[in-house]
């Protein structure tokens, strides 16, 4: 069982590190796995992931092609 806010903590770590495809995939997996209030907070942070990813055009297009954005 995942400790409370563990997913949110990991998402914040992802957003504070350089964005890679691996990080985007992990964010996407966490967003699908999170439940309740934590899921809502993670969903609210999606915009930050989107903006961070859009700063790298190739990464952005790859993430869109994979259905992650």
């Amino acid at each position: 069982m995942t400790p409370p806010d563990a997913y949110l903590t990991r998402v914040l770590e992802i957003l504070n590190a350089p964005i890679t495809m691996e990080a985007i995939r992990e964010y996407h997996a966490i967003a699908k796995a999170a439940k309740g209030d934590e899921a809502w907070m993670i969903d609210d942070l999606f915009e930050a992931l989107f903006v961070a990813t859009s700063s790298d055009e190739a990464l952005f297009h790859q993430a869109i092609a994979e259905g992650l954005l």
Side-chain angles (χ1 to χ4, degrees):
M1 185 166 180
T2 305
D5 297 327
Y7 288 137
L8 182 58
T9 299
R10 181 61 190 134
V11 161
L12 292 172
E13 290 170 354
I14 289 169
L15 293 173
N16 284 310
I19 300 296
T20 63
M21 277 308 299
E22 182 179 328
I24 296 167
R25 289 182 190 110
E26 184 179 0
Y27 187 105
H28 186 73
I30 289 170
K32 290 176 106 179
K35 305 287 184 223
D37 290 340
E38 190 174 37
W40 284 102
M41 288 184 266
I42 290 169
D43 189 53
D44 285 346
L45 291 170
F46 179 78
E47 185 177 342
L49 177 70
F50 188 90
V51 169
T53 304
S54 67
S55 67
D56 180 328
E57 189 174 343
L59 186 66
F60 183 75
H61 287 291
Q62 184 178 357
I64 288 177
E66 291 188 25
L68 302 173
L69 293 179

